[in-house]
Amino acid sequence: MPIEWTGSGPELLLRVDRDRPEPLRAQLERALRESIRAGRLAVGERLPSSRALARDLGVSRGLVTECYAQLQAEGYLVTRGGSATRVAAAARPPAATPSRPTSAGITGSAAPTGTAGSAAPVRIDFRPGVPDLSSFPRERWSRALRRACRDAPGDLFGYGDPYGDPVLREVLAAYLRRVRGAAADAAHTVVCAGYAQGLQLVLRALAREGVRVVAVEDPGDPDHRAVAATLGLDIVAVPVDEHGIDTGALAATGARAVLLTPAHQSPTGVVLAPDRRQALIAWAVARDATIVEDDYDAEFRYDREPVGALQGLAPDRVVLLGSVSKSLAPALRLGWILCPPRLSADVAHRKRLADRGSPVLDQLALADLLRSGHYDRHLRHMRPRYAARRVALVEALGRHAPEVELRGLAAGFHAVALLPPGADERAVVEAARRRSVGLYGMSGYLLGPPEGGTSPARLVLGFGNLTPDAVSDGIATVADLLRGG
Amino acid sequence: MPIEWTGSGPELLLRVDRDRPEPLRAQLERALRESIRAGRLAVGERLPSSRALARDLGVSRGLVTECYAQLQAEGYLVTRGGSATRVAAAARPPAATPSRPTSAGITGSAAPTGTAGSAAPVRIDFRPGVPDLSSFPRERWSRALRRACRDAPGDLFGYGDPYGDPVLREVLAAYLRRVRGAAADAAHTVVCAGYAQGLQLVLRALAREGVRVVAVEDPGDPDHRAVAATLGLDIVAVPVDEHGIDTGALAATGARAVLLTPAHQSPTGVVLAPDRRQALIAWAVARDATIVEDDYDAEFRYDREPVGALQGLAPDRVVLLGSVSKSLAPALRLGWILCPPRLSADVAHRKRLADRGSPVLDQLALADLLRSGHYDRHLRHMRPRYAARRVALVEALGRHAPEVELRGLAAGFHAVALLPPGADERAVVEAARRRSVGLYGMSGYLLGPPEGGTSPARLVLGFGNLTPDAVSDGIATVADLLRGG
């Protein structure tokens, strides 16, 4: 049965209900706070005496007195000397009722959104950079978490080592030595919240060493500009050709740091050629420069063994960034940084300042998967799945839009489609979107101005999170657009 | 049986073993990489022909050819035209073998470390800010994670909403309205990785609004200076007395933002007085300033109901930062930001840049605990435990060191001990450390110069992670030091 108090006017102000589980005092406090915030009780307005309100509500006077004291302590009410209790001046409603923003304009993926519009829901989404979310090993991960919850020593629930859990770092370093040919040392490995955070920690440490300009691949990740701007660094774009980044152009920039995707360039899909590797390392040594290697999807190569990490060649010149975002799931937010020895303490210091270290249970679960071999088995299980999706893409294009040329290694989960001459990239993306197919144009990845004023129409087709049937269906749906119809 | 190839000299260079599970090719590649990195195969050195090496190792020539090709692709080897394969110039060992740094100098806790030295292991640690790690509800959390792993729609394993999971934000906002008297709106709630990250996201958003100087409580969290410096902001220290921050001194600073711990000042343990609350809000309105409220341990008050959040009084002027670090465990790295509506989109944008959002499974598990009532039950379970630890501290001091005056509310997990006149804070801390008791001096929390040259000797005694017996034992062990002996 609700009991109400309506003050001097007709408007309902306070309402308490004995039948609700919430204690009466908590109900009354909340009702008072909300009435004040909403302006129903105005600043300066006098509240009824505790005796009167208690009588009207049928509660004890002590309860009302306690409520008033609580809200006075919190700053909602004032009582001067022996005079009446009034609404405090501090308790003011917000100046204007704000419109509720949605988070629709902000996406979590690396893919640029500007090219896709935001109209109808997307039925088949070729968004790059998303792995097969339905294959996440839920049961394995859950079991590994359960073991971590059960077995972790109590101390591990406190603030952890900013470098990351020591067990994970050992297991991870061993994995990266074995699978990526990296010169990994647990002492210089820092666990982080995925690539985005790792990059920032490293760029901050480099900025402290005097780096002001960072070279990036063009085309490349569109977020790099925003990240660099946050850190007060300048970005210089270096062109990528079919052998990877143009090392001659890099040397001409004067930059002392470069961000690279050597194993599978993002987004063009090329591998960095051996002579470019030589030139890069020579450049880094001559300039006292640092190479930041984004090893984002190097586990997935379908035609041969993946090329080993650049970091193994020159561990004092290369920082390797990796994560589980492609191998397990982006939602885990777990990554790692192999640091040159001179940088590791500073990177860990910045990790501590950023968030005091990554969540410990997730780190223990990843260590469990790596150590038990389930991580390797999961990768072996996924490779043929992704390879089949890539084959479906090749076949669908061959069948429905043979005019389109597909580029990029048999690797990762995206490929670049070169549209026929005269095609309008933006128009194709928008028309596909009206058919509920998500396509992403290369223009979103271009940093510098296109040479000669325009660049050829290209799409970056992600196939990681689409079944072979969905890939075929999607290509068939937009084939006339791709053919330049 | 290992098979070895020792090159032209006596030194062992390569070794493969058919009995190991690792494929021979992977073994040979790894052995070559390591030999090159270690300098055992020098730059320019000629490798044996694939035929000769295959014969010596008893493997197929094709296997050796593949290895050479792989290492050539990775940049370790070069082959020019038809001539011999040689070690590439890029493949150079690090300039010097670095000493392995340990992470001992970097701690994850907010407590300053400089005062404690780093000698013997600490048997009884009065480190402030650490909750009872042995009480973490492992079984509940594990079950909530399992449910999240099992039931989460596949989409949630991708890149998530940078604001945080929408379900958690709704549940959290309802909780903060109910328990903290906050004016919480899920649309303006951003999930983050604990207080440290939340503070940085908010300060960045404020810096964008033109804030250059941030006022902080003195004494206060020693990390604030480092965080502000990272962001290029200036810190101005404002004194705290027994009623909380000195609002008159705050107004005189000209700062347009202030960081506060109103419910239980860290470290002095006082609550912000009602008239100071009024003055603060009036200041924020008049100056167009923002109050950042660190609600770090407000769930724990033992003598009365906790004072509600300042944010509820003026949600368009106050940012509330909270986390589960004190209520559940620091290792989870989960927190939240209640933003004034004008700031929420920018804070979420910065969260996306920082790490693309917090891990999703942990967010779902927290939502589960909040919704099921287990979170409230856990807090109810913990309050008497912490209260008993505080009582043990009061009693132990009364018994063993009655000269020491204990200050601070019956709240949280720390209290301030005022030592008798003439006591030397640093000397007490160091002597206690030699007895394996961790004490932390107030000097580590002071930002401004002490008035009159020196400040009284005070200790910040954390009792959250110590049983009542450990508290008594610890105080008895150092009682003569505390008495000024």
Side-chain angles (χ1 to χ4, degrees):
Chain A
M1 259 289 290
I3 307 162
E4 296 172 357
W5 177 82
T6 55
S8 47
E11 197 181 2
L12 171 70
L13 280 182
L14 303 173
R15 178 189 173 117
V16 295
D17 188 343
R18 286 185 193 282
D19 297 340
R20 292 178 46 200
E22 191 179 10
L24 285 180
R25 180 179 154 185
Q27 289 187 43
L28 181 56
E29 280 177 20
R30 199 161 43 74
L32 278 165
R33 280 196 206 97
E34 284 169 4
S35 295
I36 292 169
R37 274 206 292 267
R40 292 194 297 271
L41 275 170
V43 169
E45 189 165 335
R46 180 179 173 152
L47 265 75
S49 71
S50 55
R51 187 188 310 266
L53 184 57
R55 189 190 54 223
D56 288 356
L57 291 175
V59 300
S60 76
R61 187 177 167 197
L63 186 148
V64 176
T65 312
E66 281 176 15
C67 279
Y68 281 11
Q70 178 75 21
L71 294 183
Q72 196 236 335
E74 294 180 3
Y76 289 86
L77 301 177
V78 279
T79 313
R80 305 240 184 264
S83 67
T85 300
R86 294 176 184 278
V87 175
R92 17 184 314 143
T97 307
S99 61
R100 292 169 70 99
T102 67
S103 38
I106 300 181
T107 74
S109 157
T113 50
T115 50
S118 55
V122 176
R123 188 174 63 89
I124 298 176
D125 197 355
F126 287 94
R127 180 183 290 275
V130 184
D132 181 13
L133 301 179
S134 72
S135 290
F136 177 72
R138 294 171 183 243
E139 182 54 33
R140 284 279 163 215
W141 188 253
S142 175
R143 245 185 275 174
L145 283 172
R146 191 160 73 235
R147 265 194 294 266
C149 277
R150 190 187 61 202
D151 301 336
D155 282 358
L156 287 194
F157 290 96
Y159 292 98
D161 186 335
Y163 279 82
D165 180 75
V167 171
L168 172 60
R169 286 155 59 211
E170 286 293 347
V171 173
L172 203 49
Y175 171 80
L176 294 170
R177 286 193 297 266
R178 178 168 57 80
V179 171
R180 299 295 302 129
D185 180 346
H188 303 295
T189 300
V190 178
V191 177
C192 63
Y195 174 73
Q197 183 182 62
L199 178 61
Q200 286 174 73
L201 300 177
V202 168
L203 289 183
R204 285 213 178 89
L206 292 176
R208 180 164 166 270
E209 287 193 335
V211 167
R212 294 286 165 266
V213 180
V214 176
V216 298
E217 296 170 317
D218 185 15
D221 187 329
D223 260 350
H224 286 162
R225 263 188 210 288
V227 168
T230 301
L231 306 179
L233 296 169
D234 290 326
I235 285 268
V236 55
V238 178
V240 168
D241 62 24
E242 67 272 30
H243 305 297
I245 196 167
D246 180 339
T247 42
L250 170 62
T253 63
R256 280 188 44 227
V258 61
L259 313 185
L260 284 181
T261 47
H264 185 223
Q265 205 274 330
S266 172
T268 63
V270 301
V271 69
L272 188 66
D275 60 329
R276 296 277 176 95
R277 289 176 178 245
Q278 306 294 335
L280 253 180
I281 303 290
W283 164 83
V285 170
R287 287 284 174 88
D288 190 23
T290 307
I291 299 163
V292 182
E293 175 173 29
D294 176 4
D295 205 38
Y296 70 111
D297 69 358
E299 298 91 344
F300 298 107
R301 177 98 190 226
Y302 314 120
D303 53 346
R304 48 163 287 181
E305 186 185 348
V307 173
L310 201 58
Q311 190 269 354
L313 269 181
D316 56 345
R317 288 285 134 215
V318 182
V319 183
L320 180 140
L321 297 175
S323 83
V324 302
S325 294
K326 308 297 182 268
S327 57
L328 291 172
L332 300 182
R333 310 314 303 131
L334 260 183
W336 48 84
I337 311 168
L338 298 189
C339 300
R342 73 177 198 281
L343 287 179
S344 55
D346 194 48
V347 167
H349 169 66
R350 284 160 202 285
K351 171 65 175 167
R352 192 180 83 82
L353 285 181
D355 60 13
R356 298 199 189 281
S358 282
V360 168
L361 294 171
D362 298 339
Q363 294 187 60
L364 296 178
L366 178 58
D368 184 319
L369 252 69
L370 282 163
R371 208 164 23 185
S372 65
H374 284 116
Y375 189 85
D376 289 65
R377 276 197 280 283
H378 180 66
L379 294 178
R380 279 202 297 278
H381 172 69
M382 294 310 295
R383 273 186 208 106
R385 288 178 79 99
Y386 288 129
R389 290 166 188 213
R390 190 172 184 282
V391 167
L393 178 66
V394 171
E395 288 180 356
L397 285 170
R399 191 159 56 240
H400 301 295
E403 298 84 350
V404 173
E405 188 187 329
L406 203 64
R407 293 185 174 176
L409 300 177
F413 347 116
H414 74 262
V416 174
L418 181 63
L419 303 187
D424 179 339
E425 189 177 298
R426 173 173 294 269
V428 170
V429 167
E430 286 170 1
R433 185 63 197 260
R434 286 191 291 273
R435 299 180 192 176
S436 298
V437 173
L439 297 180
Y440 300 84
M442 179 62 85
S443 58
Y445 296 87
L446 293 173
L447 301 172
E451 314 101 40
T454 56
S455 56
R458 284 169 292 177
L459 300 174
V460 184
L461 296 173
F463 52 82
N465 199 26
L466 294 174
T467 62
D469 284 352
V471 167
S472 303
D473 183 357
I475 294 299
T477 305
V478 297
D480 58 316
L481 304 173
L482 302 181
R483 287 197 306 266
Chain B
M1 259 291 287
I3 307 161
E4 298 172 356
W5 179 81
T6 53
S8 48
E11 196 180 5
L12 170 69
L13 280 180
L14 303 172
R15 178 188 173 115
V16 296
D17 187 346
R18 287 183 192 282
D19 297 338
R20 292 180 46 203
E22 190 181 10
L24 284 180
R25 181 180 152 183
Q27 290 187 43
L28 181 56
E29 280 176 22
R30 201 161 41 73
L32 279 165
R33 279 196 206 97
E34 285 169 4
S35 297
I36 292 169
R37 275 207 292 268
R40 292 192 296 270
L41 276 169
V43 168
E45 188 165 337
R46 181 179 173 151
L47 266 75
S49 71
S50 55
R51 185 188 310 265
L53 184 57
R55 188 190 55 223
D56 288 354
L57 292 175
V59 299
S60 77
R61 186 177 170 196
L63 186 149
V64 176
T65 312
E66 281 176 16
C67 280
Y68 281 10
Q70 178 73 22
L71 294 183
Q72 197 235 334
E74 294 180 4
Y76 290 85
L77 301 177
V78 280
T79 313
R80 305 239 184 266
S83 67
T85 300
R86 292 177 185 276
V87 176
R92 16 184 312 142
T97 307
S99 61
R100 293 169 69 102
T102 68
S103 38
I106 300 181
T107 75
S109 160
T113 50
T115 52
S118 55
V122 175
R123 188 173 65 90
I124 298 178
D125 197 355
F126 287 93
R127 180 183 289 275
V130 184
D132 181 15
L133 301 177
S134 72
S135 290
F136 178 73
R138 294 171 184 244
E139 181 55 33
R140 285 279 164 212
W141 187 254
S142 175
R143 247 186 275 174
L145 283 172
R146 190 160 75 236
R147 265 195 294 267
C149 277
R150 189 188 62 201
D151 301 337
D155 282 0
L156 288 195
F157 291 95
Y159 292 98
D161 186 336
Y163 278 82
D165 180 74
V167 171
L168 172 60
R169 286 156 58 210
E170 287 292 349
V171 173
L172 202 50
Y175 170 80
L176 294 170
R177 286 193 298 267
R178 178 168 57 79
V179 171
R180 299 296 302 130
D185 180 347
H188 303 297
T189 301
V190 178
V191 177
C192 64
Y195 174 73
Q197 184 182 59
L199 178 61
Q200 285 174 74
L201 301 176
V202 168
L203 290 182
R204 286 215 176 87
L206 292 177
R208 180 165 166 270
E209 286 192 335
V211 167
R212 293 286 166 267
V213 179
V214 177
V216 298
E217 296 169 318
D218 185 15
D221 186 330
D223 260 350
H224 287 162
R225 266 188 208 288
V227 167
T230 302
L231 306 178
L233 295 170
D234 289 326
I235 286 267
V236 55
V238 178
V240 169
D241 62 24
E242 67 272 29
H243 305 296
I245 195 167
D246 180 338
T247 43
L250 170 63
T253 64
R256 279 186 48 229
V258 62
L259 313 186
L260 284 181
T261 46
H264 185 222
Q265 204 272 331
S266 172
T268 64
V270 300
V271 68
L272 188 65
D275 61 327
R276 297 277 176 94
R277 286 174 182 247
Q278 306 294 335
L280 255 179
I281 304 291
W283 164 81
V285 170
R287 287 285 172 87
D288 191 22
T290 306
I291 298 163
V292 182
E293 176 174 26
D294 176 4
D295 206 36
Y296 70 110
D297 67 0
E299 298 90 346
F300 298 108
R301 177 96 190 227
Y302 314 120
D303 52 345
R304 49 162 288 181
E305 188 183 346
V307 173
L310 201 59
Q311 190 269 354
L313 269 181
D316 56 345
R317 288 286 136 214
V318 182
V319 184
L320 181 140
L321 298 175
S323 83
V324 302
S325 295
K326 307 298 183 268
S327 58
L328 291 172
L332 300 181
R333 310 313 306 131
L334 260 183
W336 47 85
I337 311 167
L338 300 189
C339 300
R342 72 176 200 282
L343 287 179
S344 56
D346 194 47
V347 168
H349 169 66
R350 284 161 203 285
K351 172 67 176 166
R352 191 180 85 80
L353 286 181
D355 60 14
R356 295 196 190 286
S358 282
V360 169
L361 295 171
D362 297 338
Q363 295 187 61
L364 296 177
L366 178 59
D368 185 318
L369 251 67
L370 283 164
R371 207 163 27 186
S372 65
H374 284 116
Y375 190 83
D376 289 64
R377 276 197 279 284
H378 180 65
L379 293 179
R380 280 202 296 278
H381 172 68
M382 294 310 295
R383 274 186 209 105
R385 289 177 78 98
Y386 288 128
R389 290 166 189 214
R390 192 174 182 281
V391 166
L393 179 65
V394 171
E395 289 179 354
L397 285 171
R399 192 161 54 242
H400 302 295
E403 297 85 347
V404 173
E405 188 186 330
L406 202 64
R407 292 185 175 176
L409 300 178
F413 347 117
H414 73 263
V416 174
L418 182 64
L419 303 188
D424 179 338
E425 189 177 301
R426 175 173 293 269
V428 170
V429 167
E430 287 172 0
R433 186 62 198 260
R434 286 191 292 272
R435 300 181 192 176
S436 298
V437 174
L439 296 181
Y440 300 87
M442 178 62 85
S443 58
Y445 296 87
L446 292 173
L447 301 171
E451 314 102 38
T454 56
S455 56
R458 284 170 291 177
L459 300 174
V460 185
L461 296 173
F463 52 82
N465 199 27
L466 294 175
T467 62
D469 284 350
V471 167
S472 303
D473 184 358
I475 294 299
T477 305
V478 298
D480 58 315
L481 304 173
L482 301 181
R483 286 198 306 266

